[in-house]
Amino acid sequence: MTLVTASAITAADEVFLERAVDLARAARERGDHPFGSLLATADGAVLEAMNSVVTGADPTGHAETNLVRLAGRLDRAALAGGTLYTSTEPCAMCAGAIYWSGVGRVVFALSEAELNAMVSEEEGIPPLRLPSREVFARGGRPIAVAGPVPLPSATEVHRGFWS
């Protein structure tokens, strides 16, 4: 089992998280589920992705899996030293993709428990209630995790969407 370490939040982390929420808002405005994420590498590169479940007709088109696909072109050192920021805690599928990508740190705003309190089901399917830390803990490499980070905007982007 992997040690999932806690990670302190910095002012830069909050800026990146707000950007992830902006991406979630843009996803919602175009007709997708309100999730956004980005990857910031130590050398200053930033990749961004949004949810595309509806517009891409792909149930795996979550913001984080879309981001991992984009990040696949980066070398392992850049991924290991990078931080993935996401508007909402990664689901089990996304946590698995993040684990396999080699990303070294994850920072999220809204927790899966807070999201699950708003979503009773999605198209007849109840949410998979499995925190990302539990998924990461089953792996063989350390991942630093910070979150939930209390950003009102991360909750607001979901208001009225799931009902």
Side-chain angles (χ1 to χ4, degrees):
M1 288 198 139
T2 298
L3 174 64
V4 178
T5 60
S7 179
I9 298 297
T10 67
D13 290 335
E14 290 185 19
V15 169
F16 282 125
L17 276 179
E18 286 291 357
R19 177 62 187 150
V21 173
D22 289 344
L23 292 166
R25 191 173 299 105
R28 179 178 178 163
E29 289 170 358
R30 75 174 189 194
D32 281 302
H33 301 163
F35 300 98
S37 65
L38 61 95
L39 176 72
T41 65
D43 67 0
V46 176
L47 299 174
E48 298 181 339
M50 296 183 285
N51 183 285
S52 61
V53 167
V54 176
T55 59
D58 178 1
T60 68
H62 293 195
E64 299 89 345
T65 55
N66 288 339
L67 185 61
V68 166
R69 287 182 193 107
L70 287 173
R73 65 179 181 242
L74 300 177
D75 66 46
R76 284 288 183 178
L79 292 168
T83 299
L84 187 146
Y85 297 91
T86 188
S87 60
T88 305
E89 181 173 2
C91 72
M93 175 185 70
C94 292
I98 292 164
Y99 173 82
W100 288 112
S101 76
V103 168
R105 181 170 180 251
V106 175
V107 180
F108 64 87
L110 190 71
S111 73
E112 66 88 30
E114 292 168 303
L115 177 65
N116 287 334
M118 291 186 257
V119 181
S120 60
E121 65 179 41
E122 180 188 330
E123 297 176 7
I125 301 171
L128 182 59
R129 301 177 195 286
L130 182 60
S132 61
R133 282 179 175 91
E134 288 185 36
V135 176
F136 296 144
R138 300 296 180 141
R141 68 177 187 85
I143 298 175
V145 179
V149 176
L151 294 181
S153 58
T155 301
E156 185 57 37
V157 74
H158 289 278
R159 266 201 224 300
F161 183 84
W162 301 103
S163 53

